[in-house]
Amino acid sequence: MKKLIFSAALVLSLGLTGCGEAEKPIPKNESIEHPKPSGEQKIEHPTPKDSNIEQSESEVKENESNENQQTTNIVDTSFFKFAKSVDVIDNRSTQNNLLVWIDYSADSEPGISTLNTLNQAFYFLQQSDVVKTGTVTLAIRVDDVKVAQFNVKPANIDFNNTQLGMADLVVNGSEVEYLNEGVKAFGQVMELWD
């Protein structure tokens, strides 16, 4: 019996040792490339361009200098960790609104996806560039079908409240614009809304 246990332990340890991958040392003369964070989305205000009209060099230089003078806002969307993709449409210059499309894959459950979005939006809304926005519209899609939409007013959220959950605080600071039947039923069970 002892030989069997010893043999099994020996085989297991040899197997684990063989699974390890030897690290290659980095030569001192080569630089290390670090991956760029994928959670930030650069938002640029578009400039109207007509592709059918040729522009002179002076017009091109003028347009380039105008584009360089515009401020570019960076909104970090990495808070939405379970989302397949997040798109931000910046309407703050005209409507003081950010429209955030949060997309989930087809195998995601709409109620859980909405709850995840509300919890993660709690931190998203606290960004210095976002918290000053009048309204942040959170539009949630599962498999390209909208399942919920909230118009959140960051000024109406008490980020220091420790008595309520994060999703509750975001819902309390929001106007519920749309809920499909499944999300509505899920939220009622979770006591997020009536």
Side-chain angles (χ1 to χ4, degrees):
M1 183 68 173
K2 288 183 180 181
K3 285 183 180 180
L4 180 63
I5 293 173
F6 179 75
S7 298
L10 182 62
V11 169
L12 182 61
S13 64
L14 289 174
L16 291 176
T17 304
C19 292
E21 188 176 304
E23 292 185 23
K24 296 178 184 176
I26 299 172
K28 292 182 181 179
N29 59 354
E30 289 185 26
S31 64
I32 301 173
E33 285 189 34
H34 296 285
K36 295 180 181 176
S38 61
E40 292 188 354
Q41 184 171 358
K42 191 174 183 180
I43 301 172
E44 296 185 16
H45 300 282
T47 56
K49 294 181 180 177
D50 189 353
S51 59
N52 296 334
I53 299 175
E54 291 185 26
Q55 295 179 339
S56 69
E57 279 186 41
S58 62
E59 289 175 312
V60 170
K61 287 180 183 177
E62 183 179 314
N63 286 342
E64 286 176 0
S65 66
N66 287 342
E67 288 176 4
N68 291 337
Q69 290 175 358
Q70 290 180 340
T71 58
T72 300
N73 300 311
I74 296 176
V75 176
D76 183 6
T77 60
S78 68
F79 298 98
F80 301 105
K81 296 196 182 302
F82 301 112
K84 178 175 71 173
S85 67
V86 180
D87 295 317
V88 178
I89 299 171
D90 190 353
N91 296 319
R92 290 181 286 187
S93 61
T94 57
Q95 300 171 350
N96 200 16
N97 174 272
L98 272 178
L99 172 58
V100 185
W101 284 101
I102 303 105
D103 289 297
Y104 290 88
S105 61
D107 61 341
S108 299
E109 200 281 314
I112 296 290
S113 299
T114 301
L115 181 61
N116 284 335
T117 298
L118 292 171
N119 282 323
Q120 294 162 357
F122 180 79
Y123 296 109
F124 172 80
L125 294 166
Q126 292 182 57
Q127 294 180 80
S128 61
D129 201 32
V130 176
V131 76
K132 300 171 194 166
T133 305
T135 305
V136 177
T137 301
L138 301 172
I140 304 158
R141 292 186 288 209
V142 174
D143 195 24
D144 293 327
V145 176
K146 184 166 75 169
V147 297
Q149 182 169 320
F150 301 87
N151 290 329
V152 186
K153 295 188 186 246
N156 293 348
I157 298 176
D158 180 9
F159 293 109
N160 297 318
N161 186 330
T162 58
Q163 302 301 313
L164 295 174
M166 295 179 295
D168 291 317
L169 292 169
V170 173
V171 169
N172 290 346
S174 304
E175 175 188 328
V176 179
E177 186 77 22
Y178 172 77
L179 299 172
N180 77 2
E181 290 303 315
V183 172
K184 189 175 197 176
F186 179 86
Q188 287 170 340
V189 169
M190 298 298 292
E191 298 179 356
L192 291 170
W193 44 77
D194 298 327

